[in-house]
Amino acid sequence: MARGPLRHFDWNLRSCGRHGHETYAPDEEALAQRLHASTPAGDAWRCLRCGDWVLGEPRHRGPADQAPIVLRGRALRDAFVLRFLALERALRGLLLVALAYGVWRFDGSRLALQKVFDSYLPTLRPLADRLGVDLQNAGPVHLIQRAFAASHSTLLLVALGVLAYGALELLEAVGLWLMKRWGEYVAVVGTAVFIPLEVYELVEKVTWLRIAAFALNVFAVVYILWTKRLFGVRGGRAAFDAERHSESLLEVERAAARGETAVAAR
């Protein structure tokens, strides 16, 4: 049973409220009768997502095998979590691409930027001395000076590496948003590869930002791996598909109709 503030939250009604009910009229008569009802106000069809009866014509028609896949319950919650992770990956990817562009532009304008830096550093030193800041030995100043001293090939490799990382994050974002299985694999592998680096950074220096990033990435790997049954976990793809079919209202009604037909034939 769900606990906490979301224990009474209905993911099905939330989705139907945003996107409308998902009704379907199957060609199979026995199955159609289980999803259709005649009322004084007119025909009503059962929503495949929330299970409510909806007046009016069905949204779709056709064979039951061609019915749209309608996510329900836990599947909707999983979709919400995956798309939250997709937005986080997209934001991170865009920032990395912007950073790669900045490094590339910095390399092309290094001499001009160094002149500006050298001219402003002495101006800022009296203010830093009053504040008790050792500007000459400050971390950001050392980082900027090291960047000025780096070779063209080094900065180019840094820009390409950051760009590749940003592209990977954007690829993960697209796959997770579309809820594609390949995207889930890319997200798990791509995230897990960098977890040892995050552990090393935490050992070097603990900050709230690093802790939050590490916790989010570990959660993403474990959550996707477990709920999507990747790499054979919890039965793998076959068990995942069977779980989704068992939660489908259309599949439940079709199984019930088959059962009634089998009983009637005895």
Side-chain angles (χ1 to χ4, degrees):
M1 180 180 294
R3 300 182 183 275
L6 295 180
R7 64 182 180 275
H8 298 306
F9 189 81
D10 194 321
W11 291 96
N12 298 325
L13 292 179
R14 171 190 175 273
S15 186
C16 285
R18 293 188 59 190
H19 306 291
H21 292 288
E22 195 68 45
T23 53
Y24 189 83
D27 293 342
E28 295 82 353
E29 184 176 352
L31 183 56
Q33 290 177 356
R34 301 186 66 88
L35 299 174
H36 172 262
S38 297
T39 72
D43 291 340
W45 292 86
R46 198 174 180 193
C47 175
L48 299 182
R49 182 183 295 113
C50 68
D52 286 348
W53 293 95
V54 183
L55 290 172
E57 290 295 315
R59 197 167 186 177
H60 305 284
R61 294 178 178 272
D65 293 337
Q66 297 180 14
I69 298 176
V70 181
L71 300 180
R72 305 178 71 235
R74 288 179 299 174
L76 285 174
R77 180 201 61 194
D78 293 345
F80 178 83
V81 173
L82 288 183
R83 287 185 168 173
F84 170 79
L85 294 173
L87 290 175
E88 186 269 337
R89 294 297 191 270
L91 178 60
R92 189 188 302 184
L94 291 174
L95 290 175
L96 287 170
V97 170
L99 178 60
Y101 176 76
V103 172
W104 177 73
R105 289 289 297 173
F106 167 81
D107 186 34
S109 308
R110 187 176 353 186
L111 293 178
L113 290 173
Q114 187 166 9
K115 288 180 181 179
V116 172
F117 178 76
D118 291 340
S119 63
Y120 274 95
L121 189 61
T123 305
L124 295 174
R125 185 170 288 114
L127 177 60
D129 291 339
R130 287 189 178 185
L131 296 174
V133 177
D134 186 1
L135 194 62
Q136 192 62 38
N137 294 318
V141 174
H142 273 299
L143 183 63
I144 293 173
Q145 290 173 338
R146 288 175 61 185
F148 285 137
S151 65
H152 168 74
S153 59
T154 299
L155 288 177
L156 182 59
L157 287 175
V158 170
L160 290 175
V162 173
L163 180 62
Y165 188 23
L168 175 63
E169 293 291 299
L170 292 175
L171 181 64
E172 291 180 21
V174 171
L176 291 176
W177 185 267
L178 297 177
M179 290 180 289
K180 298 295 186 181
R181 199 158 180 86
W182 62 261
E184 295 160 3
Y185 274 105
V186 171
V188 167
V189 174
T191 304
V193 165
F194 289 98
I195 285 180
L197 177 60
E198 294 178 340
V199 172
Y200 172 78
E201 291 178 343
L202 283 173
V203 172
E204 288 291 312
K205 183 178 181 181
V206 176
T207 66
W208 287 111
L209 183 60
R210 289 180 178 180
I211 292 174
F214 174 73
L216 180 61
N217 286 335
V218 171
F219 166 78
V221 170
V222 175
Y223 185 87
I224 298 174
L225 192 65
W226 183 261
T227 59
K228 301 302 178 180
R229 303 171 186 260
L230 303 182
F231 299 104
V233 172
R234 300 173 60 215
R237 179 62 181 268
F240 175 78
D241 290 340
E243 181 184 45
R244 284 292 180 263
H245 279 88
S246 68
E247 294 175 349
S248 168
L249 180 62
L250 186 63
E251 290 297 324
V252 170
E253 294 295 344
R254 179 155 57 176
R258 288 173 179 169
E260 291 181 355
T261 302
V263 170
R266 289 180 183 177

